[in-house]
Amino acid sequence: MPSLALYAFCTCVYLYAFPKLIDASNGDRTQFFHNCRQNCERTNCSADGLEIQEQAVNFYKQSIFDQIFQWSCADECQYGCMWRTVAAFAERSWPIPQFYGKWPFLRMLGMQEPASVIFSVLNFIMHYRMLRKFRREVRPDSPCYMLAHIFGVTCLNGWIWSSIFHTRDFPLTELLDYAFAYSIVLCTFYCMLMRMLHRYSLFLRGVITLAIVSYYINYFAYLSVGKFNYSFNMKVNIATGVLSAVGWFIWCHRVRTRRPYFRRILRFYVLFALAMSLELLDFPPIGWILDAHALWHFATVPLVSLYYDFMIEDCRTLRKEKVLSGGYSPYFNKDI
């Protein structure tokens, strides 16, 4: 089971970290699309400054949400020509094309990918509720209490930027979505390390924490400079995710007879990998709204409780052991 889960996890981290190279973009490369867009912009976007925005409002009858999310006249031309190109492909019975690495989505309330936005928000809500549950059921003096908060806050931040990116795909929102998505992967690895070392010296844990924080700051700076390197980002995500998964699988194997709740973290990784494998389907959006990427966002919502339930039970158990032993002695088993 661990080896199967690890294989699935590696495959899915690849899909999540590197979607740009998996998706084709045959739609935006057609001459039909380019001619349509150039003619539209030449006809409707010839003014400057505020006049262009007013033209966009009048040209495509923008809603208040479109204006809030800054859909420009050029954006409206691209959006309209995208659907004209899709219709031209359909008339010839050709497969539905992708544009700039994405399927054509029906814009709703100004949101570029409405289903992914909604499911990202649901993930945020789930993390928020489970973090509150953790705070209710685990005493603050429990070992690894703050570790759960670090994980929760990191995930909340990541899902905020996922929502923003799927609402409007700008270079900045793309960078922050990828960077903070990796922060979740890295935080999972960090939590695994700190859980294994929670009985070791504060100095050792502090040095490791400082090293990981420094590494992430440098990695964020690297992604921010020059053209975004999707290939490198993919490799880093895979390496970090695999290390995290291997660490937890080893832990599960070592404590399987002493900590029956190990099944929760194992189940979480297996189901999470299966949920992300929905990306393999990669079909055109159902109703022009629901695609495979949105589905895996939806599938992760119920899995959040597995991770938090594991942390709740683990913190409770560690606290009981600490109380019974009168504090951890230097000879207490450090590997569990």
Side-chain angles (χ1 to χ4, degrees):
M1 176 66 76
S3 60
L4 175 61
L6 180 59
Y7 173 78
F9 183 80
C10 294
T11 301
C12 296
V13 169
Y14 174 87
L15 290 169
Y16 176 67
F18 202 30
K20 293 282 183 173
L21 293 188
I22 295 175
D23 296 331
S25 304
N26 53 322
D28 59 272
R29 289 198 299 261
T30 62
Q31 193 63 40
F32 180 92
F33 175 81
H34 279 287
N35 292 341
C36 174
R37 184 175 177 180
Q38 289 177 359
N39 292 335
C40 176
E41 292 181 6
R42 186 184 307 112
T43 303
N44 301 287
C45 307
S46 57
D48 297 322
L50 293 176
E51 294 183 11
I52 292 182
Q53 187 61 34
E54 292 176 359
Q55 287 179 345
V57 173
N58 298 327
F59 177 44
Y60 270 100
K61 295 183 175 60
Q62 286 188 328
S63 69
I64 184 64
F65 298 102
D66 297 326
Q67 297 175 50
I68 290 174
F69 294 127
Q70 296 295 303
W71 287 92
S72 67
C73 184
D75 293 331
E76 295 293 3
C77 282
Q78 177 176 313
Y79 182 73
C81 290
M82 175 186 73
W83 289 114
R84 291 187 179 94
T85 304
V86 170
F89 272 59
E91 289 175 0
R92 295 162 176 78
S93 299
W94 294 348
I96 297 173
Q98 294 183 335
F99 298 83
Y100 304 104
K102 293 185 176 183
W103 292 108
F105 289 95
L106 186 65
R107 197 168 77 206
M108 294 180 60
L109 303 178
M111 295 183 291
Q112 194 167 344
E113 300 175 44
S116 291
V117 173
I118 293 171
F119 298 150
S120 294
V121 171
L122 288 178
N123 273 280
F124 176 90
I125 294 173
M126 194 64 176
H127 276 280
Y128 178 75
R129 294 185 62 180
M130 292 305 299
L131 187 57
R132 291 188 63 184
K133 178 183 177 181
F134 179 90
R135 291 172 62 88
R136 287 195 308 266
E137 300 187 11
V138 178
R139 294 183 53 162
D141 61 342
S142 302
C144 300
Y145 181 82
M146 288 307 300
L147 200 60
H149 286 73
I150 293 172
F151 172 77
V153 171
T154 301
C155 290
L156 290 174
N157 178 66
W159 285 113
I160 286 174
W161 287 104
S162 174
S163 304
I164 294 173
F165 169 67
H166 289 301
T167 298
R168 281 294 270 131
D169 182 358
F170 291 121
L172 178 61
T173 59
E174 179 186 52
L175 167 65
L176 295 177
D177 175 57
Y178 276 84
F180 289 126
Y182 178 63
S183 74
I184 297 177
V185 178
L186 184 62
C187 186
T188 304
F189 172 72
Y190 171 75
C191 290
M192 180 274 296
L193 278 181
M194 292 298 103
R195 171 58 184 84
M196 307 310 165
L197 302 174
H198 76 280
R199 290 170 180 159
Y200 285 73
S201 69
L202 181 61
F203 175 77
L204 175 62
R205 288 178 284 146
V207 169
I208 294 175
T209 300
L210 181 61
I212 289 180
V213 171
S214 300
Y215 159 73
Y216 179 72
I217 292 174
N218 280 276
Y219 182 73
F220 189 98
Y222 172 80
L223 293 180
S224 305
V225 177
K227 187 177 180 180
F228 192 93
N229 192 329
Y230 297 101
S231 177
F232 180 75
N233 183 63
M234 175 268 293
K235 294 173 184 177
V236 172
N237 272 269
I238 289 179
T240 308
V242 168
L243 287 174
S244 177
V246 168
W248 278 119
F249 292 151
I250 292 174
W251 181 85
C252 289
H253 178 74
R254 297 188 66 175
V255 304
R256 65 189 184 281
T257 59
R258 299 188 297 277
R259 302 191 186 281
Y261 59 87
F262 81 90
R263 293 182 179 85
R264 293 179 182 177
I265 190 66
L266 182 61
R267 192 178 302 124
F268 168 80
Y269 269 96
V270 173
L271 293 179
F272 187 74
L274 292 175
M276 291 185 69
S277 67
L278 287 170
E279 292 274 29
L280 289 171
L281 300 178
D282 194 30
F283 51 82
I286 300 173
W288 306 114
I289 293 177
L290 191 65
D291 69 331
H293 184 73
L295 280 178
W296 91 254
H297 274 326
F298 176 72
T300 60
V301 175
L303 302 183
V304 175
S305 60
L306 284 175
Y307 199 96
Y308 282 90
D309 286 342
F310 165 78
M311 291 192 294
I312 290 172
E313 188 65 27
D314 193 44
C315 286
R316 285 174 169 176
T317 302
L318 293 176
R319 185 179 183 278
K320 290 178 183 177
E321 293 175 350
K322 184 176 181 179
V323 171
L324 291 175
S325 65
Y328 299 128
S329 71
Y331 304 102
F332 203 93
N333 190 347
K334 291 184 176 182
D335 62 357
I336 59 174

